[in-house]
Amino acid sequence: MATDSFLLPVSDVVKETADAHSIVFEIPEDVRHAFQPKPGQFLTVAVPSDRDGLAARCYSLSSAPGDPLTVIVKRTVDGYASNWICDNLRPGDTLRVLPPSGIFTPADIDADFLLFAGGSGVTPIISIARTALREGTGRIVVFYANRDERSVIFAEEWARLAAEHPDRLQVVHWLESVQGLPTGEQLKAFAADRLTYDAFVCGPAPFMKATIAALKELEFPRARRHQEKFASLGGNPFGEVAPVKEAETEVVDDAPKQPVTLEIELDGTTSTYDDWDPGTAMLDFLEAKGVKAPYSCREGECSACAFRLLEGEVKMMRNDVLEQEDLDDGIRLGCQSLPTTDTVRGTYS
Ligand SMILES: Cc1cc2nc3c(=O)[nH]c(=O)nc-3n(C[C@H](O)[C@H](O)[C@H](O)COP(=O)(O)OP(=O)(O)OC[C@H]3O[C@@H](n4cnc5c(N)ncnc54)[C@H](O)[C@@H]3O)c2cc1C
């Protein structure tokens, strides 16, 4: 199954810190329709590789919608793709890219935002902050943790934004070299007066763990707490992708014996189908119906294909990204979902 990837010219490469580069893409007029990102979303890029042909990696957008499409790539020690990008990519080169996707994005841009970033996790965070400052009306507080001063990405940009919006934006820089790692108590103190805000958390695993734990201890409402994990994809969403079917169907012992009815809402349109084969993953079924449902990795490793169950149940063959709380909220991965009830209702909103 061919994927809708696009060859995008790189218009600029900017060294942000010693080990992080901004990559700015040019969007040709004829593919502009496919690149309408929401703040906090990511691109999936195909990095050339002599070994495997390509390595697929996700990079969050730092840009706000309407600005030149920009991602930040930070070198991972001994990593393949991040170092290839930082060492090789130059303006004028092209890179194969999948359209923006992901669910780390505000439902209401007018909300007050409590933003936690660690290291390169600042990328989707600054996209959300820039957009909220431009289009929203709420207050924005940012807790940005880094190893030391030299690791801070967008130091000047944060200072400029805070100076331009003193009544709306507050940025707290936390430097491990000066203050040590933020403790649970310190993170709680930062969030305690902001329990009505919408929280977004992105950074290295220990930082995310500590921040999420602090928010949970404060009983910060789950519906307004979002997190984005940075990980490398194992699969290849760019090439021929075999539909998820057959071998995996045995995973679902309790699969309905007859075709299932699926009612699904996407981009404000609700469609109903009554011939969903219980052995076919929801994403494959929708694509066969000509529906442009979102996806990226097709391996259960990212959350680009996430939808919310409204009725019925599905079983996911693989899930490396959703947490129990996401599942409790009805979130499922379309690329991995096989139906276990006669009717399934869901929404991508
Ligand atoms: C939603 C999301 C958003 C993200 N956003 C960002 C972001 O904004 N900024 C950022 O810096 N990172 C981001 N990441 C992380 C990013 O996708 C990568 O995981 C990160 O850059 C590390 O990739 P790497 O290839 O350098 O390192 P690794 O994945 O650690 O590289 C090692 C891997 O590469 C393989 N490998 C080694 N040599 C080769 C070769 N020659 N060809 C092919 N494979 C090889 C190895 O087998 C091994 O699996 C994000 C991840 C996700 C899921």
Side-chain angles (χ1 to χ4, degrees), residues 6-247:
F6 299 86
L7 213 49
L8 297 186
V10 171
S11 60
D12 207 358
V13 178
V14 181
K15 190 168 179 173
E16 301 288 354
T17 65
D19 55 3
H21 289 68
S22 280
I23 312 297
V24 188
F25 292 100
E26 189 185 318
I27 311 297
E29 197 58 48
D30 58 332
V31 303
R32 198 148 283 179
H33 63 278
F35 289 89
Q36 305 289 335
K38 294 179 189 160
Q41 287 195 312
F42 62 86
L43 300 180
T44 307
V45 305
V47 174
S49 155
D50 291 342
R51 198 182 81 180
D52 302 334
L54 66 85
R57 296 288 185 269
C58 304
Y59 291 102
S60 298
L61 290 160
S62 59
S63 45
D67 289 342
L69 209 68
T70 306
V71 296
I72 304 277
V73 180
K74 184 171 176 180
R75 290 180 190 273
T76 293
V77 178
D78 298 329
Y80 173 69
S82 59
N83 287 299
W84 186 93
I85 290 173
C86 291
D87 289 338
N88 294 292
L89 212 58
R90 300 284 176 268
D93 292 345
T94 53
L95 211 51
R96 190 157 287 284
V97 177
L98 292 179
S101 54
I103 55 168
F104 188 67
T105 182
D108 175 11
I109 204 66
D110 288 319
D112 294 325
F113 290 104
L114 173 59
L115 307 178
F116 289 94
S120 59
V122 73
T123 312
I125 295 294
I126 200 165
S127 168
I128 293 168
R130 281 171 165 156
T131 311
L133 287 172
R134 193 180 298 167
E135 298 173 16
T137 52
R139 282 162 298 175
I140 302 158
V141 289
V142 183
F143 185 99
Y144 184 17
N146 275 287
R147 208 176 317 123
D148 53 37
E149 207 172 336
R150 282 174 311 152
S151 327
V152 180
I153 302 173
F154 300 130
E156 284 175 20
E157 172 78 347
W158 282 121
R160 187 184 63 76
L161 290 171
E164 273 176 19
H165 304 274
D167 47 338
R168 291 190 58 205
L169 175 65
Q170 182 197 349
V171 184
V172 171
H173 288 281
W174 190 279
L175 299 181
E176 198 186 317
S177 56
V178 179
Q179 292 147 290
L181 290 170
T183 64
E185 288 309 311
Q186 288 162 330
L187 291 163
K188 267 174 24 187
F190 187 76
D193 293 336
R194 288 144 180 157
L195 302 185
T196 57
Y197 287 33
D198 282 10
F200 287 81
V201 185
C202 186
F207 174 78
M208 303 232 322
K209 199 172 164 203
T211 308
I212 297 294
L215 293 176
K216 279 186 183 169
E217 278 180 45
L218 291 169
E219 296 184 3
F220 195 97
R222 173 67 189 93
R224 286 188 281 102
R225 172 163 59 74
H226 311 270
Q227 63 187 82
E228 184 80 301
K229 286 184 197 162
F230 283 3
S232 292
L233 301 183
N236 168 17
F238 289 91
E240 291 292 309
V241 183
V244 180
K245 202 174 149 58
E246 288 155 12

